[in-house]
Amino acid sequence: MQVDLFDFELPPERIALRPAAPRDAARMLVLEGAATRDAIVRELPACLRPGDCLVFNDTRVIPAQLEGTRGEARIGATLHKREGPRRWRAFIRNAKRLHDGDIIEFGSDVTATASDRAADGSFALDFAGDEPVELLLERAGRMPLPPYIAAKRPTDARDADDYQTMFAKEAGAVAAPTAALHFTPGLIAALEAAGIGHATLTLHVGAGTFLPVKADDTADHAMHAEWGRIDAATADRLNAVRAGGGRVIAVGTTSLRLIESAAGDDQVIRPFEGDTAIFITPGYRFRGIDGLMTNFHLPRSTLFMLVSALMGLERMQAAYAHAIADGYRFYSYGDASLLLP
């Protein structure tokens, strides 16, 4: 499909720079069948059915943004995928000043050697020393806010909490699974009281999620791989939900992409551990999920393509036009949509 089919105009003032407070006070646009209505996230229990199950990504965002020097050159690095115990693949700012074998000084006694430049301009960074890389990042790194927020304001202490979900446990993401940012312990309790369960999986979101689609046709776009895991108990539980007449509702496109990676043509979800580079566009047949709760995505992005695959391109174009006209807040810290085909 032509990528420009997924383009739309978004006024800059619609980009949220802070999350709603409290988190479950965010607005939620509900698309169910042919109906569209406005709601609030805390009304979610009334929007679902007893027996449904929400699936959250329990990845934890690490301080993956680093600023350093190579000689006189200033180098920025955004880690996006772990390749070994001390090696991370990173997107580099000022990459023309960096070569294989160069050592980058990130301050706080944190250094890394660059190597293996890839076609996308990224480098592998091998961190020196014996300390766990997580400790090095706590010292020298900062929270990697999305570029559309970082361009408008600096990262601050509030983001350390605002940009983590209540489910964050498994360290390794460089971007938050933002649909889950709307959830609070009180909302989870209300869902459970309504007979709506939840489960967790792990997908370490990479910085590739923010990369624009530069190809003219979706067939020519290469997705970046991300590591994920669904254990056997979770797979069995999700299959049992569907067998019992309940719906599996992914919270966030990261949860959805991992479930779909683990599901077979027989619509059975199996245990999964490894990389996935699944790219979902209109025409895709969903195998493991029955709905999606997600934020509002960038124009021409793989995520807007994904929601268009679930609900139909014209339906999502109309929904986004409504959201823009009605003042919904977009992107990572923005409002939510609940998509139930």
Side-chain angles (χ1 to χ4, degrees), residues 107-221:
S108 302
D109 295 321
V110 177
T111 64
T113 302
S115 64
D116 191 21
R117 180 171 187 157
D120 62 5
S122 66
F123 280 83
L125 298 184
D126 290 286
F127 286 88
D130 299 318
E131 287 182 279
V133 173
E134 289 77 10
L135 293 182
L136 302 181
L137 296 179
E138 290 293 339
R139 286 210 306 271
R142 58 184 172 85
M143 193 63 76
L145 281 186
Y148 44 77
I149 296 176
K152 293 177 177 290
R153 67 165 179 83
T155 305
D156 57 29
R158 285 177 56 184
D159 293 307
D161 179 64
D162 285 349
Y163 203 53
Q164 297 284 14
T165 75
M166 64 172 284
F167 308 96
K169 183 178 67 172
E170 301 291 339
V174 302
T178 53
L181 293 177
H182 300 296
F183 285 79
T184 64
L187 178 55
I188 290 295
L191 287 160
E192 290 177 347
I196 299 157
H198 71 275
T200 59
L201 47 71
T202 304
L203 185 129
H204 292 323
V205 193
T209 191
F210 301 121
L211 292 181
V213 177
K214 296 181 179 179
D216 293 327
D217 193 289
T218 58
D220 299 322
H221 176 68

Side-chain angles (χ1 to χ4, degrees), residues 178-319:
T178 53
L181 293 177
H182 300 296
F183 285 79
T184 64
L187 178 55
I188 290 295
L191 287 160
E192 290 177 347
I196 299 157
H198 71 275
T200 59
L201 47 71
T202 304
L203 185 129
H204 292 323
V205 193
T209 191
F210 301 121
L211 292 181
V213 177
K214 296 181 179 179
D216 293 327
D217 193 289
T218 58
D220 299 322
H221 176 68
M223 288 285 285
H224 280 79
E226 297 165 313
W227 182 91
R229 179 180 60 230
I230 298 177
D231 62 29
T234 300
D236 288 346
R237 182 177 176 201
L238 298 183
N239 290 325
V241 165
R242 301 182 93 189
R247 296 175 296 180
V248 171
I249 312 293
V251 178
T253 56
T254 63
S255 294
L256 183 150
R257 291 176 64 244
L258 188 56
I259 294 169
E260 290 299 311
S261 299
D265 289 336
D266 57 1
Q267 300 192 359
V268 174
I269 300 167
R270 295 175 173 83
F272 181 98
E273 183 167 356
D275 287 350
T276 177
I278 189 171
F279 182 22
I280 295 173
T281 58
Y284 177 85
R285 176 174 169 265
F286 288 87
R287 303 176 297 194
I289 63 97
D290 306 293
L292 170 68
M293 182 175 171
T294 186
N295 286 14
F296 292 94
H297 303 296
L298 282 74
R300 301 174 65 94
S301 66
T302 61
L303 303 183
F304 185 60
M305 295 171 190
L306 184 155
V307 297
S308 298
L310 182 64
M311 301 300 293
L313 176 57
E314 290 186 4
R315 184 83 197 281
M316 292 312 302
Q317 288 170 330

